[in-house]
Amino acid sequence: MIFTLVASAAALSGQVAVKNAFAAGVTTLSNCGKSTDILTRLDEVVLTPYPVVAGQPLVVSIRGATSANITQGASVHVVGKLAFIPVLTKDIDVCSQPGVTCPIAAGDNEIQVTQSIPAIAPAGNLNIEIGVKNGDGAQVACLKGPIKIVKA
């Protein structure tokens, strides 16, 4: 199954509708970023598989536009919480991902990141917060909202 998030530039200032093409229901991701974020437009985020499966790789494809180059040292910090208790923390070096070459030029881009989800990740609906920083420490983006994790 594929989970698709489709957004417009206006959505970066509030909430983004999240629709799973293979399951009923709609949820939202909220922008927890700032007006100075490097991400200026978010067109699509696709998680494969969805729901996310503990112990298996997760492929995240992101399509959008940035106002500055994404430079060496860019990172993604993900925190997953059950209620208010952090149960999953993951740091990802963007530029070390296969198929990603930094710097990534400003403008329209699509990148794909593959990460293993720990087998010990709890099944259920996690509230996640995703923070993306550029190599110089500038904030690229911040999104938060629920995702579903299942056991294999």
Side-chain angles (χ1 to χ4, degrees), residues 32-125:
C32 49
K34 304 171 186 171
S35 61
T36 56
D37 283 1
I38 293 171
L39 181 68
T40 57
R41 190 184 77 241
L42 179 63
D43 297 323
E44 183 176 61
V45 175
V46 178
L47 304 179
T48 308
Y50 193 83
V52 176
V53 180
Q56 294 186 5
L58 172 66
V59 178
V60 180
S61 300
I62 303 165
R63 188 167 43 92
T66 58
S67 61
N69 291 350
I70 304 300
T71 58
Q72 194 68 39
S75 62
V76 177
H77 181 71
V78 180
V79 176
K81 296 179 182 179
L82 276 174
F84 297 102
I85 302 168
V87 294
L88 178 67
T89 302
K90 188 81 171 171
D91 290 300
I92 303 162
D93 181 341
V94 173
C95 299
S96 70
Q97 296 299 304
V100 176
T101 303
C102 288
I104 301 169
D108 291 343
N109 284 290
E110 183 171 345
I111 64 166
Q112 190 172 80
V113 176
T114 301
Q115 284 297 307
S116 295
I117 303 300
I120 62 170
N125 293 317

